[in-house]
mmCIF file with all atom_site columns, all heavy atoms in Angstrom:
data_model
loop_
_atom_site.group_PDB
_atom_site.id
_atom_site.type_symbol
_atom_site.label_atom_id
_atom_site.label_alt_id
_atom_site.label_comp_id
_atom_site.label_asym_id
_atom_site.label_entity_id
_atom_site.label_seq_id
_atom_site.pdbx_PDB_ins_code
_atom_site.Cartn_x
_atom_site.Cartn_y
_atom_site.Cartn_z
_atom_site.occupancy
_atom_site.B_iso_or_equiv
_atom_site.pdbx_formal_charge
_atom_site.auth_seq_id
_atom_site.auth_comp_id
_atom_site.auth_asym_id
_atom_site.auth_atom_id
_atom_site.pdbx_PDB_model_num
ATOM 1   N N   . ILE D 1 238 ? -12.391 5.365  -6.239  1.00 0.00 ? 257 ILE D N   1
ATOM 2   C CA  . ILE D 1 238 ? -11.153 5.864  -5.692  1.00 0.00 ? 257 ILE D CA  1
ATOM 3   C C   . ILE D 1 238 ? -10.074 6.203  -6.742  1.00 0.00 ? 257 ILE D C   1
ATOM 4   O O   . ILE D 1 238 ? -9.590  7.329  -6.938  1.00 0.00 ? 257 ILE D O   1
ATOM 5   C CB  . ILE D 1 238 ? -10.572 4.924  -4.627  1.00 0.00 ? 257 ILE D CB  1
ATOM 6   C CG1 . ILE D 1 238 ? -11.562 4.692  -3.539  1.00 0.00 ? 257 ILE D CG1 1
ATOM 7   C CG2 . ILE D 1 238 ? -9.360  5.517  -4.071  1.00 0.00 ? 257 ILE D CG2 1
ATOM 8   C CD1 . ILE D 1 238 ? -11.133 3.548  -2.631  1.00 0.00 ? 257 ILE D CD1 1
ATOM 9   N N   . ARG D 1 239 ? -9.768  5.128  -7.462  1.00 0.00 ? 258 ARG D N   1
ATOM 10  C CA  . ARG D 1 239 ? -8.636  5.252  -8.512  1.00 0.00 ? 258 ARG D CA  1
ATOM 11  C C   . ARG D 1 239 ? -9.257  4.962  -9.869  1.00 0.00 ? 258 ARG D C   1
ATOM 12  O O   . ARG D 1 239 ? -10.263 4.240  -10.023 1.00 0.00 ? 258 ARG D O   1
ATOM 13  C CB  . ARG D 1 239 ? -7.674  4.113  -8.241  1.00 0.00 ? 258 ARG D CB  1
ATOM 14  C CG  . ARG D 1 239 ? -6.842  4.207  -6.943  1.00 0.00 ? 258 ARG D CG  1
ATOM 15  C CD  . ARG D 1 239 ? -6.252  2.950  -6.544  1.00 0.00 ? 258 ARG D CD  1
ATOM 16  N NE  . ARG D 1 239 ? -5.351  3.038  -5.382  1.00 0.00 ? 258 ARG D NE  1
ATOM 17  C CZ  . ARG D 1 239 ? -4.062  2.970  -5.498  1.00 0.00 ? 258 ARG D CZ  1
ATOM 18  N NH1 . ARG D 1 239 ? -3.436  2.798  -6.694  1.00 0.00 ? 258 ARG D NH1 1
ATOM 19  N NH2 . ARG D 1 239 ? -3.286  3.121  -4.366  1.00 0.00 ? 258 ARG D NH2 1
ATOM 20  N N   . GLY D 1 240 ? -8.544  5.395  -10.844 1.00 0.00 ? 259 GLY D N   1
ATOM 21  C CA  . GLY D 1 240 ? -8.883  5.027  -12.215 1.00 0.00 ? 259 GLY D CA  1
ATOM 22  C C   . GLY D 1 240 ? -9.300  6.310  -13.031 1.00 0.00 ? 259 GLY D C   1
ATOM 23  O O   . GLY D 1 240 ? -9.872  7.206  -12.619 1.00 0.00 ? 259 GLY D O   1
ATOM 24  N N   . ILE D 1 241 ? -8.678  6.127  -14.282 1.00 0.00 ? 260 ILE D N   1
ATOM 25  C CA  . ILE D 1 241 ? -9.195  7.053  -15.302 1.00 0.00 ? 260 ILE D CA  1
ATOM 26  C C   . ILE D 1 241 ? -9.663  6.277  -16.525 1.00 0.00 ? 260 ILE D C   1
ATOM 27  O O   . ILE D 1 241 ? -9.056  5.279  -16.787 1.00 0.00 ? 260 ILE D O   1
ATOM 28  C CB  . ILE D 1 241 ? -8.051  8.002  -15.805 1.00 0.00 ? 260 ILE D CB  1
ATOM 29  C CG1 . ILE D 1 241 ? -7.791  9.104  -14.742 1.00 0.00 ? 260 ILE D CG1 1
ATOM 30  C CG2 . ILE D 1 241 ? -8.326  8.664  -17.139 1.00 0.00 ? 260 ILE D CG2 1
ATOM 31  C CD1 . ILE D 1 241 ? -6.730  10.106 -15.025 1.00 0.00 ? 260 ILE D CD1 1
ATOM 32  N N   . HIS D 1 242 ? -10.814 6.743  -17.001 1.00 0.00 ? 261 HIS D N   1
ATOM 33  C CA  . HIS D 1 242 ? -11.321 6.079  -18.297 1.00 0.00 ? 261 HIS D CA  1
ATOM 34  C C   . HIS D 1 242 ? -11.441 7.207  -19.255 1.00 0.00 ? 261 HIS D C   1
ATOM 35  O O   . HIS D 1 242 ? -12.192 8.132  -19.110 1.00 0.00 ? 261 HIS D O   1
ATOM 36  C CB  . HIS D 1 242 ? -12.750 5.449  -17.958 1.00 0.00 ? 261 HIS D CB  1
ATOM 37  C CG  . HIS D 1 242 ? -13.301 4.705  -19.182 1.00 0.00 ? 261 HIS D CG  1
ATOM 38  N ND1 . HIS D 1 242 ? -13.689 5.354  -20.361 1.00 0.00 ? 261 HIS D ND1 1
ATOM 39  C CD2 . HIS D 1 242 ? -13.541 3.404  -19.300 1.00 0.00 ? 261 HIS D CD2 1
ATOM 40  C CE1 . HIS D 1 242 ? -14.157 4.377  -21.168 1.00 0.00 ? 261 HIS D CE1 1
ATOM 41  N NE2 . HIS D 1 242 ? -14.011 3.250  -20.512 1.00 0.00 ? 261 HIS D NE2 1
ATOM 42  N N   . ALA D 1 243 ? -10.640 7.142  -20.227 1.00 0.00 ? 262 ALA D N   1
ATOM 43  C CA  . ALA D 1 243 ? -10.725 8.113  -21.439 1.00 0.00 ? 262 ALA D CA  1
ATOM 44  C C   . ALA D 1 243 ? -11.411 7.478  -22.530 1.00 0.00 ? 262 ALA D C   1
ATOM 45  O O   . ALA D 1 243 ? -11.146 6.393  -23.016 1.00 0.00 ? 262 ALA D O   1
ATOM 46  C CB  . ALA D 1 243 ? -9.373  8.535  -21.831 1.00 0.00 ? 262 ALA D CB  1
ATOM 47  N N   . THR D 1 244 ? -12.490 8.206  -22.925 1.00 0.00 ? 263 THR D N   1
ATOM 48  C CA  . THR D 1 244 ? -13.247 7.770  -24.125 1.00 0.00 ? 263 THR D CA  1
ATOM 49  C C   . THR D 1 244 ? -12.971 8.854  -25.249 1.00 0.00 ? 263 THR D C   1
ATOM 50  O O   . THR D 1 244 ? -13.270 9.969  -25.077 1.00 0.00 ? 263 THR D O   1
ATOM 51  C CB  . THR D 1 244 ? -14.801 7.737  -23.888 1.00 0.00 ? 263 THR D CB  1
ATOM 52  O OG1 . THR D 1 244 ? -14.949 7.126  -22.638 1.00 0.00 ? 263 THR D OG1 1
ATOM 53  C CG2 . THR D 1 244 ? -15.564 7.072  -24.904 1.00 0.00 ? 263 THR D CG2 1
ATOM 54  N N   . LEU D 1 245 ? -12.316 8.329  -26.300 1.00 0.00 ? 264 LEU D N   1
ATOM 55  C CA  . LEU D 1 245 ? -11.800 9.309  -27.295 1.00 0.00 ? 264 LEU D CA  1
ATOM 56  C C   . LEU D 1 245 ? -12.480 9.074  -28.563 1.00 0.00 ? 264 LEU D C   1
ATOM 57  O O   . LEU D 1 245 ? -12.794 8.005  -29.041 1.00 0.00 ? 264 LEU D O   1
ATOM 58  C CB  . LEU D 1 245 ? -10.252 8.964  -27.474 1.00 0.00 ? 264 LEU D CB  1
ATOM 59  C CG  . LEU D 1 245 ? -9.461  8.860  -26.110 1.00 0.00 ? 264 LEU D CG  1
ATOM 60  C CD1 . LEU D 1 245 ? -8.016  8.393  -26.446 1.00 0.00 ? 264 LEU D CD1 1
ATOM 61  C CD2 . LEU D 1 245 ? -9.512  10.208 -25.457 1.00 0.00 ? 264 LEU D CD2 1
ATOM 62  N N   . TYR D 1 246 ? -12.813 10.266 -29.212 1.00 0.00 ? 265 TYR D N   1
ATOM 63  C CA  . TYR D 1 246 ? -13.503 10.213 -30.476 1.00 0.00 ? 265 TYR D CA  1
ATOM 64  C C   . TYR D 1 246 ? -12.742 11.040 -31.605 1.00 0.00 ? 265 TYR D C   1
ATOM 65  O O   . TYR D 1 246 ? -12.120 12.068 -31.304 1.00 0.00 ? 265 TYR D O   1
ATOM 66  C CB  . TYR D 1 246 ? -14.848 11.058 -30.319 1.00 0.00 ? 265 TYR D CB  1
ATOM 67  C CG  . TYR D 1 246 ? -15.745 10.351 -29.209 1.00 0.00 ? 265 TYR D CG  1
ATOM 68  C CD1 . TYR D 1 246 ? -15.584 10.688 -27.940 1.00 0.00 ? 265 TYR D CD1 1
ATOM 69  C CD2 . TYR D 1 246 ? -16.742 9.408  -29.631 1.00 0.00 ? 265 TYR D CD2 1
ATOM 70  C CE1 . TYR D 1 246 ? -16.475 10.170 -26.967 1.00 0.00 ? 265 TYR D CE1 1
ATOM 71  C CE2 . TYR D 1 246 ? -17.496 8.884  -28.642 1.00 0.00 ? 265 TYR D CE2 1
ATOM 72  C CZ  . TYR D 1 246 ? -17.347 9.239  -27.320 1.00 0.00 ? 265 TYR D CZ  1
ATOM 73  O OH  . TYR D 1 246 ? -18.172 8.726  -26.372 1.00 0.00 ? 265 TYR D OH  1
ATOM 74  N N   . GLY D 1 247 ? -12.754 10.493 -32.760 1.00 0.00 ? 266 GLY D N   1
ATOM 75  C CA  . GLY D 1 247 ? -12.184 11.170 -33.914 1.00 0.00 ? 266 GLY D CA  1
ATOM 76  C C   . GLY D 1 247 ? -12.774 10.668 -35.213 1.00 0.00 ? 266 GLY D C   1
ATOM 77  O O   . GLY D 1 247 ? -13.324 9.610  -35.223 1.00 0.00 ? 266 GLY D O   1
ATOM 78  N N   . LYS D 1 248 ? -12.568 11.402 -36.228 1.00 0.00 ? 267 LYS D N   1
ATOM 79  C CA  . LYS D 1 248 ? -13.006 10.953 -37.619 1.00 0.00 ? 267 LYS D CA  1
ATOM 80  C C   . LYS D 1 248 ? -11.773 10.324 -38.283 1.00 0.00 ? 267 LYS D C   1
ATOM 81  O O   . LYS D 1 248 ? -10.732 10.910 -38.413 1.00 0.00 ? 267 LYS D O   1
ATOM 82  C CB  . LYS D 1 248 ? -13.496 12.164 -38.379 1.00 0.00 ? 267 LYS D CB  1
ATOM 83  C CG  . LYS D 1 248 ? -14.761 12.792 -37.941 1.00 0.00 ? 267 LYS D CG  1
ATOM 84  C CD  . LYS D 1 248 ? -15.987 12.078 -38.431 1.00 0.00 ? 267 LYS D CD  1
ATOM 85  C CE  . LYS D 1 248 ? -17.248 12.603 -37.826 1.00 0.00 ? 267 LYS D CE  1
ATOM 86  N NZ  . LYS D 1 248 ? -18.418 11.682 -37.872 1.00 0.00 ? 267 LYS D NZ  1
ATOM 87  N N   . LEU D 1 249 ? -11.992 9.235  -38.900 1.00 0.00 ? 268 LEU D N   1
ATOM 88  C CA  . LEU D 1 249 ? -10.996 8.546  -39.629 1.00 0.00 ? 268 LEU D CA  1
ATOM 89  C C   . LEU D 1 249 ? -10.896 9.226  -41.022 1.00 0.00 ? 268 LEU D C   1
ATOM 90  O O   . LEU D 1 249 ? -11.869 9.627  -41.622 1.00 0.00 ? 268 LEU D O   1
ATOM 91  C CB  . LEU D 1 249 ? -11.378 7.083  -39.943 1.00 0.00 ? 268 LEU D CB  1
ATOM 92  C CG  . LEU D 1 249 ? -11.130 6.197  -38.746 1.00 0.00 ? 268 LEU D CG  1
ATOM 93  C CD1 . LEU D 1 249 ? -11.686 4.774  -38.921 1.00 0.00 ? 268 LEU D CD1 1
ATOM 94  C CD2 . LEU D 1 249 ? -9.657  6.146  -38.314 1.00 0.00 ? 268 LEU D CD2 1
ATOM 95  N N   . LYS D 1 250 ? -9.623  9.396  -41.531 1.00 0.00 ? 269 LYS D N   1
ATOM 96  C CA  . LYS D 1 250 ? -9.449  9.964  -42.774 1.00 0.00 ? 269 LYS D CA  1
ATOM 97  C C   . LYS D 1 250 ? -9.283  8.902  -43.931 1.00 0.00 ? 269 LYS D C   1
ATOM 98  O O   . LYS D 1 250 ? -9.345  9.221  -45.039 1.00 0.00 ? 269 LYS D O   1
ATOM 99  C CB  . LYS D 1 250 ? -8.235  10.843 -42.803 1.00 0.00 ? 269 LYS D CB  1
ATOM 100 C CG  . LYS D 1 250 ? -8.313  12.195 -41.949 1.00 0.00 ? 269 LYS D CG  1
ATOM 101 C CD  . LYS D 1 250 ? -7.280  13.141 -42.262 1.00 0.00 ? 269 LYS D CD  1
ATOM 102 C CE  . LYS D 1 250 ? -5.845  12.590 -41.851 1.00 0.00 ? 269 LYS D CE  1
ATOM 103 N NZ  . LYS D 1 250 ? -4.759  13.543 -41.958 1.00 0.00 ? 269 LYS D NZ  1
ATOM 104 N N   . LYS D 1 251 ? -8.894  7.759  -43.435 1.00 0.00 ? 270 LYS D N   1
ATOM 105 C CA  . LYS D 1 251 ? -8.769  6.672  -44.359 1.00 0.00 ? 270 LYS D CA  1
ATOM 106 C C   . LYS D 1 251 ? -9.051  5.300  -43.649 1.00 0.00 ? 270 LYS D C   1
ATOM 107 O O   . LYS D 1 251 ? -9.049  5.208  -42.448 1.00 0.00 ? 270 LYS D O   1
ATOM 108 C CB  . LYS D 1 251 ? -7.333  6.614  -44.927 1.00 0.00 ? 270 LYS D CB  1
ATOM 109 C CG  . LYS D 1 251 ? -6.243  6.492  -43.973 1.00 0.00 ? 270 LYS D CG  1
ATOM 110 C CD  . LYS D 1 251 ? -4.882  6.386  -44.544 1.00 0.00 ? 270 LYS D CD  1
ATOM 111 C CE  . LYS D 1 251 ? -4.192  7.709  -44.713 1.00 0.00 ? 270 LYS D CE  1
ATOM 112 N NZ  . LYS D 1 251 ? -2.740  7.701  -45.139 1.00 0.00 ? 270 LYS D NZ  1
ATOM 113 N N   . ASP D 1 252 ? -9.408  4.336  -44.504 1.00 0.00 ? 271 ASP D N   1
ATOM 114 C CA  . ASP D 1 252 ? -9.770  3.115  -43.944 1.00 0.00 ? 271 ASP D CA  1
ATOM 115 C C   . ASP D 1 252 ? -8.481  2.353  -43.535 1.00 0.00 ? 271 ASP D C   1
ATOM 116 O O   . ASP D 1 252 ? -7.468  2.362  -44.229 1.00 0.00 ? 271 ASP D O   1
ATOM 117 C CB  . ASP D 1 252 ? -10.455 2.306  -45.088 1.00 0.00 ? 271 ASP D CB  1
ATOM 118 C CG  . ASP D 1 252 ? -11.436 1.235  -44.490 1.00 0.00 ? 271 ASP D CG  1
ATOM 119 O OD1 . ASP D 1 252 ? -11.726 1.409  -43.288 1.00 0.00 ? 271 ASP D OD1 1
ATOM 120 O OD2 . ASP D 1 252 ? -11.829 0.355  -45.331 1.00 0.00 ? 271 ASP D OD2 1
ATOM 121 N N   . VAL D 1 253 ? -8.596  1.755  -42.399 1.00 0.00 ? 272 VAL D N   1
ATOM 122 C CA  . VAL D 1 253 ? -7.297  1.172  -41.871 1.00 0.00 ? 272 VAL D CA  1
ATOM 123 C C   . VAL D 1 253 ? -7.753  0.015  -40.896 1.00 0.00 ? 272 VAL D C   1
ATOM 124 O O   . VAL D 1 253 ? -8.813  0.160  -40.270 1.00 0.00 ? 272 VAL D O   1
ATOM 125 C CB  . VAL D 1 253 ? -6.441  2.268  -41.122 1.00 0.00 ? 272 VAL D CB  1
ATOM 126 C CG1 . VAL D 1 253 ? -7.205  2.902  -40.009 1.00 0.00 ? 272 VAL D CG1 1
ATOM 127 C CG2 . VAL D 1 253 ? -5.181  1.717  -40.755 1.00 0.00 ? 272 VAL D CG2 1
ATOM 128 N N   . ASP D 1 254 ? -6.917  -0.955 -40.739 1.00 0.00 ? 273 ASP D N   1
ATOM 129 C CA  . ASP D 1 254 ? -7.209  -1.997 -39.721 1.00 0.00 ? 273 ASP D CA  1
ATOM 130 C C   . ASP D 1 254 ? -6.742  -1.556 -38.379 1.00 0.00 ? 273 ASP D C   1
ATOM 131 O O   . ASP D 1 254 ? -5.604  -1.532 -38.044 1.00 0.00 ? 273 ASP D O   1
ATOM 132 C CB  . ASP D 1 254 ? -6.395  -3.258 -40.108 1.00 0.00 ? 273 ASP D CB  1
ATOM 133 C CG  . ASP D 1 254 ? -6.607  -4.352 -39.133 1.00 0.00 ? 273 ASP D CG  1
ATOM 134 O OD1 . ASP D 1 254 ? -7.063  -4.128 -37.940 1.00 0.00 ? 273 ASP D OD1 1
ATOM 135 O OD2 . ASP D 1 254 ? -6.402  -5.510 -39.513 1.00 0.00 ? 273 ASP D OD2 1
#
Side-chain angles (χ1 to χ4, degrees):
Chain D
I257 302 174
R258 293 159 174 255
I260 283 183
H261 187 293
T263 312
L264 310 175
Y265 301 86
K267 289 279 175 200
L268 285 173
K269 293 192 300 187
K270 58 176 92 168
D271 209 11
V272 63
D273 181 338

